[in-house]
Amino acid sequence: MDNIFLFTIYSMILFMPAYIANPGAVITGGHFRIDMGKSFHNKRILGDGKTWSGLIGGTLIGMLSGLIIFYILELVHSSYGNYSSNLLGALYVLFIMSFGSLFGDIAGSFIKRRLGMKRGARGSILDQWPFVIMSFIFLLFFARAFFIKFYGDTIPIIVLLIITPPVHRGVNVLAHKLKMKDVPW
Ligand code: CTP
Ligand code: MG
């Protein structure tokens, strides 16, 4: 690759659906609790904030956002590459990326509950990193060729982990101001 800076930005843009999946879950969420209200050692397994409607809806919204990116890159004949050379392959990669992201979000809530934090409590890094890390782990295991091509040098992953906390905070403060969220985190 001739320009490592541009390629890093490009790889980060391809990862945007993992970020969009989360607000997608906020919009579609709230129905059918995944832990069905059950507890483990007197603490909720996941809590009321993790629902099937959010997991499924967020995954679909993440995939849809990625599909838009896929078609734009097809349209401009991007030479840096795409999710896949065909629609089905792209949908597969986007499913792994988006579902992995929301699976990570659920894992973060699982850890928050084990630490005794109530649903919606400010989790800082536990709200900000698990979805990024889990999405990359899912891509590494289930969409390896895509992962190696765009994230194999780990530079975009490191940059994303550094910028995610301030971006996450900014988006949530904005969502709070617009009354879309009860709390600014
Ligand atoms: N949401 C959902 N299902 C998911 C993820 C999110 O229904 N799988 C919805 C819930 O309404 C949740 C909101 O999106 O309250 C915000 O998500 P998040 O901040 O991840 O959950 P919290 O309510 O803050 O709970 P936690 O402390 O477990 O993070
Ligand atoms: Mg939260």
Side-chain angles (χ1 to χ4, degrees):
M1 191 49 57
D2 50 357
N3 192 326
I4 185 79
F5 177 74
L6 278 183
F7 189 63
T8 299
I9 302 280
Y10 191 87
S11 300
M12 286 164 59
I13 290 171
L14 287 180
F15 194 67
M16 274 175 50
Y19 286 79
I20 294 172
N22 284 278
V26 179
I27 294 168
T28 57
H31 307 282
F32 310 111
R33 295 173 298 182
I34 295 172
D35 71 4
M36 296 185 294
K38 289 196 183 111
S39 294
F40 173 71
H41 288 291
N42 288 323
K43 287 168 186 144
R44 282 290 293 276
I45 299 174
L46 301 174
D48 290 341
K50 303 296 116 148
T51 65
W52 288 109
S53 68
L55 176 61
I56 296 166
T59 300
L60 290 175
I61 289 174
M63 290 173 71
L64 189 70
S65 70
L67 217 51
I68 295 170
I69 299 173
F70 173 75
Y71 279 119
I72 291 173
L73 297 179
E74 286 278 283
L75 218 68
V76 300
H77 300 291
S78 168
S79 59
Y80 278 179
N82 209 333
Y83 293 108
S84 170
S85 56
N86 59 78
L87 176 61
L88 224 78
L91 283 172
Y92 173 75
V93 169
L94 287 165
F95 171 77
I96 298 300
M97 181 186 284
S98 303
F99 184 81
S101 168
L102 290 172
F103 189 84
D105 171 61
I106 289 169
S109 290
F110 179 79
I111 297 170
K112 281 173 80 175
R113 298 300 92 82
R114 305 286 71 70
L115 297 174
M117 300 166 82
K118 295 276 177 237
R119 174 254 176 111
R122 188 173 181 176
S124 298
I125 222 77
L126 280 175
D127 287 328
Q128 299 157 347
W129 271 7
F131 79 91
V132 180
I133 294 169
M134 195 64 84
S135 183
F136 279 124
I137 290 175
F138 266 58
L139 290 170
L140 171 67
F141 279 100
F142 304 115
R144 190 175 290 263
F146 172 78
F147 178 89
I148 298 294
K149 177 168 180 185
F150 292 103
Y151 311 102
D153 66 5
T154 71
I155 295 171
I157 300 177
I158 292 164
V159 175
L160 284 169
L161 286 176
I162 293 169
I163 67 171
T164 295
V167 170
H168 186 277
R169 179 92 182 111
V171 168
N172 282 288
V173 167
L174 186 70
H176 176 62
K177 284 219 165 87
L178 296 173
K179 302 197 178 357
M180 290 161 63
K181 274 198 92 168
D182 295 338
V183 289
W185 55 78

